């Protein structure tokens, strides 16, 4: 029973393809007889796909033409004589969050494709944006792959599908939405933690995808979503579009 209890905590890591060896074989066998874990793995896989899409960076419109213009004028680099030093990540993130870091790295590489053809200021802006997206992907992955990750689903009053993933160990939460309409001009979606009747700001949402909520859930009993003036509000000014109870 103790061994089975441990296996129940591996759904997020399995969905990220982060299990190896005996742990992988044991959990695969466990899935054949545990409907709850099977359903949770499916939820994590859907969330992982949304996270990868959420951190992708669209290339600037003029980039393609700039690359085509300069491609014949740039000399091909000589092969490296020494391999590049591997990126340093914590062992836990390497094991649990690999797919998200890979997704962010691919997005960053796409953004940097034409950096040689751009002015220094433009390239620095692109680099800053890519680094921010990579950090966001890593932070989201830490929540999703936490051994105590809990997932709840709900819909807004307009019908948009939402998912909230929380981790008490990390004291962090992630919000994922699909079908959320573009907010009207001068308005933005704002997230809230419901601390037993007191709404605490938890970040802004500008579009569908995944968002790492600001602050930790702590003892919050629910997550709320409202439509607020651009820049957000210290307290909700509209009726919540969503008030999703968190697991206890």
């Amino acid at each position: 029973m103790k061994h089975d209890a441990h296996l129940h905590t591996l759904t997020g890591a399995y969905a990220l393809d982060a299990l190896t060896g005996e742990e992988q074989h044991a959990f695969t066998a466990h899935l054949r007889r545990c409907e709850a874990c099977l359903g949770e793995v499916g939820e994590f896989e859907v969330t992982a796909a949304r996270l990868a899409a959420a951190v992708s960076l669209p290339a600037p419109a003029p980039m393609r033409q700039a690359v085509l213009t300069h491609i014949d004028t740039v000399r091909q680099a000589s092969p490296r004589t020494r391999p590049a030093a591997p990126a340093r990540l914590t062992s836990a993130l390497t094991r649990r969050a690999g797919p998200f870091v890979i997704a962010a790295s691919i997005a960053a590489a796409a953004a940097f494709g034409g950096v040689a053809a751009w002015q220094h200021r433009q390239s620095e802006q692109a680099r800053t944006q890519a680094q921010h997206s990579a950090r966001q992907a890593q932070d989201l992955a830490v929540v999703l792959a936490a051994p105590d990750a809990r997932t709840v689903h709900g819909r807004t009053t307009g019908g948009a599908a939402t998912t909230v993933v929380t981790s008490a160990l990390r004291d962090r939460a992630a919000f994922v939405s699909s079908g959320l309409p573009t907010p009207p001009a001068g308005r933005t979606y704002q997230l809230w933690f419901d601390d037993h009747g007191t709404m605490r700001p938890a970040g802004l949402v500008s579009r569908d995808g995944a968002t790492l909520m600001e602050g930790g859930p702590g003892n919050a009993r629910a997550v709320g979503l409202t439509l607020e003036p651009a820049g957000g509000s210290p307290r909700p000014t509209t009726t919540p579009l969503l008030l999703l109870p968190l697991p206890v």
Side-chain angles (χ1 to χ4, degrees):
M1 294 296 294
K2 182 178 180 180
H3 182 62
D4 283 345
H6 166 69
L7 292 174
H8 288 308
T9 68
L10 299 179
T11 51
Y14 181 84
L16 296 178
D17 197 24
L19 299 182
T20 58
E22 294 182 2
E23 203 172 40
Q24 167 77 16
H25 293 304
F27 189 80
T28 300
H30 173 73
L31 278 184
R32 299 192 187 102
R33 61 179 185 274
C34 183
E35 291 294 330
C37 283
L38 185 62
E40 193 165 315
V41 165
E43 294 167 357
F44 276 130
E45 288 175 340
V46 170
T47 303
R50 289 174 178 164
L51 288 176
V55 298
S56 62
L57 298 176
M63 180 175 288
R64 179 178 182 275
Q65 187 58 46
V67 173
L68 292 176
T69 300
H70 291 79
I71 194 168
D72 292 330
T73 65
V74 178
R75 181 179 178 182
Q76 181 175 351
S78 302
R80 293 178 181 267
T81 57
R82 297 173 59 187
R88 288 189 174 182
L89 295 174
T90 63
S91 58
L93 190 56
T94 300
R95 183 170 181 270
R96 304 283 188 181
F100 293 97
V101 178
I102 291 171
S105 299
I106 293 173
F112 293 153
V115 69
W118 287 89
Q119 296 178 356
H120 178 71
R121 182 178 61 84
Q122 292 172 312
S123 66
E124 285 301 310
Q125 289 176 348
R127 186 184 303 275
T128 299
Q129 185 182 14
Q131 290 173 345
H132 173 75
S133 293
R135 285 194 299 270
Q136 182 187 50
Q138 293 178 19
D139 291 341
L140 287 166
V142 167
V143 176
L144 184 65
D148 67 331
R150 304 287 298 276
T151 304
V152 291
H153 305 282
R155 288 191 178 273
T156 66
T157 55
T162 64
T163 297
V164 174
V165 182
T166 58
S167 167
L169 286 175
R170 310 293 186 226
D171 194 27
R172 300 306 300 268
F175 177 84
V176 184
S177 65
S178 176
L180 201 62
T182 302
R187 310 284 283 179
T188 187
Y189 294 109
Q190 186 165 358
L191 293 165
W192 307 87
F193 286 118
D194 180 0
D195 293 331
H196 299 276
T198 300
M199 302 301 279
R200 172 165 46 100
L204 306 179
V205 177
S206 59
R207 58 184 174 86
D208 271 345
T211 301
L212 185 70
M213 298 181 67
E214 295 180 3
N219 294 320
R221 67 179 185 181
V223 165
L225 180 71
T226 61
L227 191 61
E228 301 294 334
S233 303
R235 291 178 297 277
T237 63
T238 60
T239 302
L241 304 172
L242 170 77
L243 196 58
L244 186 62
L246 295 177
V248 294

